[in-house]
Amino acid sequence: MTVVLVLLAGCAARESTAPRAGGVLYFYQKHLSPVDGDRCSMYPTCSGYAAETFKKHGFPVGWIMTCDRLLRCGRDEMKRSPVLTVKGRTRCYDPVAANDFWWYR
Amino acid sequence: MMEDAKRLAPFVVAVLLLLLLPWACCGSAAGGSTVVIHGDEQYQYAEECFQDGDYAAAMVAFKRFVHFFPGDERKEPARFKIGLCHFHLEHYTRAADLFRQLSGSFSTSKISAESRFMLAKTYGRMGRSGSAKRVLQNFLAVAETRGLKDRICYELAWLSLERAGTMEKGALDRAEEWLDRIGDSGKARYNKNRIKTGIAEMKAMETKSPAVAGAAAIIPGAGFVYCRRYKDGLVSFLLNSCLIASAAASFDGGNTALGAVVSFVAAGFYSGNIYGSITSAHKYNRSKILPRLHRMEKQYRYDPSRHWDLYGSSGKVSSSGGKMVVFRISF
């Protein structure tokens, strides 16, 4: 469990998708992420990605895609996806559409 | 006497002002310039904006042309250009509406044909490739000339190639089939052989099988390693192992509730590992195919609409049906 929390904390960011996101994500973005700071190296950040994928695909698929994203965050994806500069920080662009293109039309 | 004059002075001034005010107003209007704009000038201005890539201005100018010169023979081309402006400005729904209208209203004209092609292209941009395909296939069913059929087949081939960019299964084969339907007369024009060579090269490229990646991911991380994502593979292996071990330990220790929570998280990460491996294989293949596709598109994609004298463009002055259509703007 600690490992999961460490992974989530590693993706802390203040990007707000709050009202649209579920209660847990809202709580995370509103209260936990500001404490930990903006550290996610991907864009959208993992919590923003989770909010988007839950909205787009609903619970089971959204949950699986969020876990997949947490596994990939900040590692090999950095060399393979386009790079963006967001708020002065270089981030790896990895939207939901780049991960569901092969089955979701 | 003097007192009477002083009393009357404000009235005299007021009367004079009342008399002069309308004159002053009219005077300012009469003193401005009057611009007479002919249909040709308006169309030419709109064309210039379009050629400069200022699609917002071009759209307004074309709309003005259509409104003020409804009898002009270039009304339909102007409406088509409005559709193109919407397309370039990424107002795809409006563009599609307009192209749909134009494709129906002048069924035998070049405008109608071009509108159908643009409608398919717009649907493609909207992500509605099925609709795009239907538009082109219906068009193919009613097309009479060999040249038109060739072009429709060519556009259908490119539609399939675009689908190949999203890793759709069999898209490259379908593109080849459409290219094969292009007749000998269109072979050189549409670079048929070169595109087919490009497709053959893409097919021969080293790719990763999503099925193998997914199967390998039964051992956490192995699917990522198969797709040459070694760090992701290691993290996936460690994380999933830890989660599965802690879930098992929780159940063994009699902590059923904790075990259930950890199992839920573990199930998510395990499934995420499989999903990510399959996606990684698709991404790997896409990273090989897309650059080749873009290069091919740049080198060989032929846009016949550029070669047709279709829109009455290049600012040519047309006869306007012998009528002199003007409107005036007063400043």
Side-chain angles (χ1 to χ4, degrees), chain A residues 46-98:
Chain A
C46 291
S47 58
Y49 181 94
E52 199 183 325
T53 189
F54 271 101
K55 193 183 168 199
K56 192 172 176 184
H57 300 302
F59 169 68
V61 178
W63 171 235
I64 291 168
M65 285 182 76
T66 302
C67 291
D68 161 49
R69 172 62 174 278
L70 287 169
L71 284 173
R72 292 182 293 104
C73 180
R75 281 175 282 277
D76 290 311
E77 200 65 50
M78 303 295 289
K79 289 178 275 175
R80 291 157 202 261
S81 291
V83 172
L84 291 178
T85 304
V86 183
K87 293 177 190 169
R89 266 197 63 183
T90 307
R91 292 178 197 266
C92 168
Y93 184 58
D94 182 52
V96 174

Side-chain angles (χ1 to χ4, degrees), chain B residues 231-250:
Chain B
K231 288 181 191 169
D232 290 347
L234 181 66
V235 169
S236 180
F237 178 74
L238 291 175
L239 185 69
N240 277 290
S241 305
C242 289
L243 284 168
I244 292 166
S246 50
S250 301

Side-chain angles (χ1 to χ4, degrees), chain A residues 3-4 7 59 63-65 67-68 70-72 75-77 80 94 98-103 105, chain B residues 163 166-167 227-232 235 239 264-265 268-269 271-272 275-276 278-279 282-283 286:
Chain A
V3 183
V4 180
L7 271 172
F59 169 68
W63 171 235
I64 291 168
M65 285 182 76
C67 291
D68 161 49
L70 287 169
L71 284 173
R72 292 182 293 104
R75 281 175 282 277
D76 290 311
E77 200 65 50
R80 291 157 202 261
D94 182 52
N99 293 287
D100 66 3
F101 66 92
W102 56 274
W103 65 272
R105 310 275 177 233
Chain B
R163 299 309 300 161
T166 64
M167 300 296 104
C227 298
R228 298 187 184 170
R229 290 173 175 248
Y230 304 110
K231 288 181 191 169
D232 290 347
V235 169
L239 185 69
F264 172 72
V265 176
F269 276 94
S271 312
Y275 180 88
I278 297 169
T279 307
H282 282 295
K283 281 183 178 177
R286 192 169 70 160

